Amino acid sequence: ATLLVRDEPTNHLDIPAKEILEEALQHYEGSMLLISHDRYFISQVATTIIAVEDKALEMYSGDYKYYLANRPELAEQVEARFIAGDSREIGSAKVVEVQAEDKGSRKKSFGGGGGPSGNKDKGVKNAKRMN
């Protein structure tokens, strides 16, 4: 049997990388033990939730939404963390139009023209210090 163990696998990832990881884990054929505070990530990849509750393991055969549905007191705690009275919705966010730049007009500069540090003579200086 194959067991994949990941502790907070999304902490250092940007959104596209998270999506790639989610898709890879959705197609993973073995068992997984994932520890994460990212509720959206858990709902995308988990098919069974095992929670540590009152010094015991409780198993819920379903995703994170199923787990919350079967734990109304926990769902209330999670909902209480939201800002009270905030009625903003994603659909009401301001739309900003971005104009595409002509890529041929400017050449991007990412630093010096030397080696990894941009300084061609750095290796020589370091060698002189050692003598």
Side-chain angles (χ1 to χ4, degrees), residues 109-123:
S109 174
F110 293 101
S117 67
N119 187 346
K120 294 178 184 177
D121 299 322
K122 185 173 182 178

Side-chain angles (χ1 to χ4, degrees), residues 20-38:
I20 291 169
L21 178 61
E22 287 168 9
E23 186 175 347
L25 293 177
Q26 288 167 350
H27 296 295
Y28 183 70
E29 304 250 343
S31 298
M32 294 182 278
L33 172 62
L34 299 173
I35 299 148
S36 180
H37 288 88
D38 187 338

Side-chain angles (χ1 to χ4, degrees), residues 48-69:
T48 302
I49 303 287
I50 298 177
V52 180
E53 298 168 353
D54 298 324
K55 299 180 183 179
L57 296 177
E58 294 287 331
M59 189 166 93
Y60 299 87
S61 297
D63 64 2
Y64 187 73
K65 291 177 186 176
Y66 175 83
Y67 168 67
L68 284 182

Side-chain angles (χ1 to χ4, degrees), residues 5-22:
V5 179
R6 302 292 298 169
D7 183 14
E8 298 291 351
T10 61
N11 274 2
H12 62 287
L13 302 179
D14 60 5
I15 292 172
K18 283 183 184 183
E19 291 171 348
I20 291 169
L21 178 61
E22 287 168 9

Side-chain angles (χ1 to χ4, degrees), residues 39 68 75-86:
R39 294 186 298 257
L68 284 182
E76 288 174 14
Q77 287 177 357
V78 170
E79 289 173 9
R81 294 179 191 152
F82 296 126
I83 299 171
D86 187 2

Side-chain angles (χ1 to χ4, degrees), residues 74-121:
L74 182 63
E76 288 174 14
Q77 287 177 357
V78 170
E79 289 173 9
R81 294 179 191 152
F82 296 126
I83 299 171
D86 187 2
S87 61
R88 293 179 294 174
E89 296 180 8
I90 292 174
S92 64
K94 181 180 175 185
V95 176
V96 178
E97 291 188 31
V98 179
Q99 296 179 5
E101 275 188 40
D102 180 18
K103 292 190 179 194
S105 65
R106 289 192 309 164
K107 185 176 180 184
K108 290 186 179 181
S109 174
F110 293 101
S117 67
N119 187 346
K120 294 178 184 177
D121 299 322

